[in-house]
Amino acid sequence: MSAARLEAAADDRLVRNFVPGTEPGAVGMIEAGGDTDTDGPQAIYAGENGEIYILDQINGRVLQIDPTDPIKPPKTLELPEDVRPTDIVVD
């Protein structure tokens, strides 16, 4: 890969901006308190076709977003209530 292509591939680009909440266009966040740190999504995976998966532990779901369409609602996979994952792997 040429240096120019590497540089272009490394450009920072905002794909989607999420707000705190439970709606499809939001992610779960717990505000920091005196004895706690801010908590929210900590696992992100990029698929082979550019799709992005976000583990939203607070809301018990995985969000799949299409980085080429920032307005399109994410696909949602609800997790079983008794599952508390801390990481994500997509196959």
Side-chain angles (χ1 to χ4, degrees):
M1 186 177 281
S2 72
R5 281 191 70 193
L6 280 174
E7 184 176 321
D11 288 344
D12 289 334
R13 182 176 76 163
L14 178 63
V15 174
R16 171 153 302 165
N17 187 24
F18 287 94
V19 296
T22 59
E23 302 81 31
V27 292
M29 292 289 294
I30 297 175
E31 294 298 321
D35 296 333
T36 62
D37 293 327
T38 301
D39 195 14
Q42 298 176 11
I44 299 174
Y45 178 87
E48 290 181 13
N49 298 318
E51 66 277 13
I52 299 172
Y53 298 87
I54 300 171
L55 174 60
D56 184 2
Q57 301 100 316
I58 305 298
N59 291 321
R61 64 188 180 180
V62 173
L63 301 174
Q64 177 191 0
I65 62 171
D66 178 354
T68 64
D69 190 353
I71 297 175
K72 182 179 178 182
K75 292 181 183 177
T76 303
L77 170 64
E78 298 293 328
L79 300 173
E81 286 189 31
D82 60 338
V83 174
R84 298 286 179 244
T86 57
D87 204 352
I88 184 172
V89 176
V90 178
D91 184 20

